[in-house]
Amino acid sequence: MKSAIYPGSFDPVTFGHLDVIKRTANIFDELTVSVLDNHLKTPLFSVEERVKILQEATKDIPNIKIDSFSGLLIDYAKKKGVHVAVRGLRAITDFEYELQIAQTNHKLSGGQLDTMFLTTSLEYAYLSSSSVKEIASFNGDISMCVPEFIAKLVYAKYGFIRE
Ligand code: COD
C-alpha cells in the first residue's frame, strides 16, 4: 500500500491545503494529514481543534486519516512506517524554505524519508493561514479562503459573530 504524510500547522486549514489534500489522496492509497503540536508557537486553534476541523473538512475523502505529532517529522514518519512527506509549493519563497527542510529530512532519516511537492492550483496561490487570520482579525471577508464552517470558527476566535 502506498502511503504518505502531509504534515503542517493547518492553523487553520485553507482551500489551498484542501486542494493539496484532495490531489494527493488521488495519488496515494492512504494519506495521513498530521498537525504539528509545536509548543514554541502560539496557534489560534489548539491541536485538538485543528484535528477536528480537518476531520470535518475531509470527511468525504475515504482514504484520509487525520492525526497529530510532536517532535521530528522523521521520527513520526518512521513510527508510522511511511516514506513520503507531501508539501505544497506556492512561490519561490516556499521553494527555498521547503528545499532546505526536504534535504534535511532526507539526510536525517538516512534516506528513508523523501518529500514530494505539489504546486499550488493557481486560484489558491495567494492563500495562507496567516493572511486568513489577519483578515479575520479585522472582521474582513475570508469566504474565498476557507470553508464556511471554518470561517465562523475563525471569526469567533476574534469575537466576531457572522451569520
Ligand atoms: N497552496 C498550496 N500549498 C499550500 C498553500 C496553498 N495556498 N498554503 C500552504 N501550503 C502548503 C505549505 O507550503 C506547506 O507545504 C503545507 O501546505 C503546510 O503549510 P502550513 O503553513 O500549515 O505548515 P508549516 O509549513 O507550518 O509546517 C511545517 C512542519 C510542521 C511540516 C515542520 O515545521 C515540521 O515538520 N516540524 C517538525 C520538526 C521537524 O521535523 N523539522 C524538520 C527538520 S528542520
Side-chain angles (χ1 to χ4, degrees):
M1 189 163 82
K2 282 192 219 147
S3 307
I5 294 171
Y6 182 25
S9 304
F10 306 114
D11 186 39
V13 64
T14 68
F15 283 131
H17 295 126
L18 290 171
D19 178 59
V20 170
I21 290 172
K22 280 177 202 148
R23 288 158 60 204
T24 309
N26 282 333
I27 300 170
F28 290 89
D29 299 312
E30 185 177 277
L31 174 65
T32 302
V33 181
S34 203
V35 176
L36 175 69
D37 187 356
N38 186 348
H39 294 291
L40 300 176
K41 277 190 185 173
T42 312
L44 185 62
F45 292 97
S46 69
V47 173
E48 293 74 24
E49 287 173 322
R50 282 178 275 160
V51 165
K52 268 194 192 155
I53 291 171
L54 274 162
Q55 281 167 339
E56 177 63 25
T58 61
K59 66 180 181 204
D60 295 331
I61 313 171
N63 56 335
I64 299 271
K65 281 187 180 165
I66 309 297
D67 195 11
S68 62
F69 75 106
S70 53
L72 290 178
L73 177 64
I74 53 154
D75 292 334
Y76 173 70
K78 189 176 177 185
K79 203 174 76 190
K80 301 282 272 180
V82 175
H83 300 283
V84 180
V86 174
R87 300 283 290 167
L89 286 179
R90 285 162 295 188
I92 285 290
T93 41
D94 274 352
F95 179 77
E96 285 177 4
Y97 169 70
E98 296 288 347
L99 180 72
Q100 192 198 10
I101 294 187
Q103 288 172 335
T104 305
N105 283 335
H106 192 257
K107 187 76 183 169
L108 269 181
S109 67
Q112 290 301 299
L113 185 66
D114 268 303
T115 303
M116 196 184 95
F117 296 103
L118 260 70
T119 51
T120 181
S121 294
L122 273 182
E123 64 266 46
Y124 304 128
Y126 66 94
L127 277 184
S128 73
S129 299
S130 327
S131 58
V132 168
K133 287 180 274 192
E134 189 167 357
I135 297 165
S137 73
F138 294 107
N139 204 12
D141 184 8
I142 54 168
S143 61
M144 75 299 270
C145 308
V146 295
E148 200 180 334
F149 84 95
I150 299 178
K152 282 189 177 153
L153 295 170
V154 177
Y155 287 126
K157 287 279 180 189
Y158 293 106
F160 300 118
I161 308 294
R162 287 216 171 193
E163 284 315 312

